[in-house]
């Protein structure tokens, strides 16, 4: 199973492709997209959908209220753009809140009240320990998002769901 994780943001979006083989995850590819407008989103989604790998699911970090309502509204539109771009191409998408995937992946590295930068550093530490690579914080978040989804699916399969 291959999952694409997307840590959506305006200025810099991290992405990561993670594959599960047997009981281990492997980082296949990762990167950063700058200045994510509609064209960047559509072009990237098209490349992922028509590339040599078959992506099972795209998981996008959902928008959350951090600074102000105007920022939240703009981020919601961007997340919707990502979701639509992949779904139009026939890829299944799922949204996940940051605190949900972080609690599942970064357990023991962050606390309930950890600040954003502490969570970003924890994701980088986790990515280095898990995949043996130093990733940009947005790439590390994307890898965490994809890995969270893969582990959720693996657990559901073991539970007969």
């Amino acid at each position: 199973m291959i999952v694409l994780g997307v840590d959506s943001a305006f200025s810099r979006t991290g992405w990561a492709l993670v594959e599960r083989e047997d009981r281990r995850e492997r980082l296949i590819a990762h990167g950063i997209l700058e200045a994510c407008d509609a064209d960047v989103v559509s072009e990237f989604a098209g490349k992922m959908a028509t590339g040599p790998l078959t992506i099972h699911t795209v998981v996008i970090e959902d928008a959350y209220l951090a600074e102000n309502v105007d920022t939240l509204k703009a981020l919601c539109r961007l997340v919707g753009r990502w979701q639509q771009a992949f779904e139009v191409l026939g890829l299944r998408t799922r949204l996940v809140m940051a605190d949900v995937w972080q609690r599942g992946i970064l357990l023991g590295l962050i606390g309930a009240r950890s600040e954003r930068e502490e969570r970003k550093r924890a994701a980088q530490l986790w990515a280095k320990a898990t995949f043996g690579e130093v990733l940009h914080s947005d790439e590390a978040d994307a890898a965490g998002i994809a890995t969270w989804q893969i582990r959720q699916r693996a657990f559901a399969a073991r539970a007969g769901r």
Side-chain angles (χ1 to χ4, degrees):
M1 172 189 335
I2 297 174
V3 173
L4 171 63
V6 177
D7 181 29
S8 182
F10 298 113
S11 59
R12 189 173 40 238
T13 291
W15 64 271
L17 283 169
V18 177
E19 178 179 38
R20 183 173 180 107
E21 290 180 342
D22 299 320
R23 294 182 156 229
R24 298 199 61 181
E25 292 92 19
R26 181 173 67 96
L27 184 64
I28 298 173
H30 54 88
I32 299 285
L33 300 171
E34 303 288 343
C36 287
D37 60 14
D39 292 336
V40 170
V41 169
S42 295
E43 181 181 337
F44 180 76
K47 285 180 183 176
M48 290 291 114
T50 59
L53 300 173
T54 301
I55 297 171
H56 181 268
T57 306
V58 178
V59 185
I60 306 161
E61 186 176 87
D62 207 353
Y64 58 93
L65 182 59
E67 298 294 323
N68 61 54
V69 173
D70 290 333
T71 301
L72 173 64
K73 288 168 49 178
L75 282 171
C76 286
R77 287 190 293 274
L78 179 59
V79 167
R81 198 174 282 147
W82 278 110
Q83 189 173 18
Q84 183 179 28
F86 286 112
E87 287 179 352
V88 162
L89 296 169
L91 290 172
R92 176 186 351 205
T93 64
R94 179 172 184 186
L95 302 179
V96 62
M97 295 302 295
D99 64 326
V100 172
W101 77 260
Q102 289 169 351
R103 280 193 314 259
I105 295 294
L106 305 178
L107 188 63
L109 298 175
I110 60 170
R113 302 203 190 290
S114 295
E115 296 292 326
R116 181 179 184 276
E117 289 308 312
E118 185 179 355
R119 290 171 182 265
K120 290 281 191 182
R121 284 190 303 276
Q124 288 179 291
L125 178 64
W126 170 84
K128 174 70 173 149
T130 302
F131 301 116
E133 291 190 42
V134 176
L135 301 181
H136 182 279
S137 62
D138 297 315
E139 293 172 309
D141 281 356
I145 291 164
T147 302
W148 174 84
Q149 174 64 28
I150 284 174
R151 291 178 182 175
Q152 290 292 306
R153 294 279 302 155
F155 178 78
R158 286 193 311 274
R161 296 197 167 235

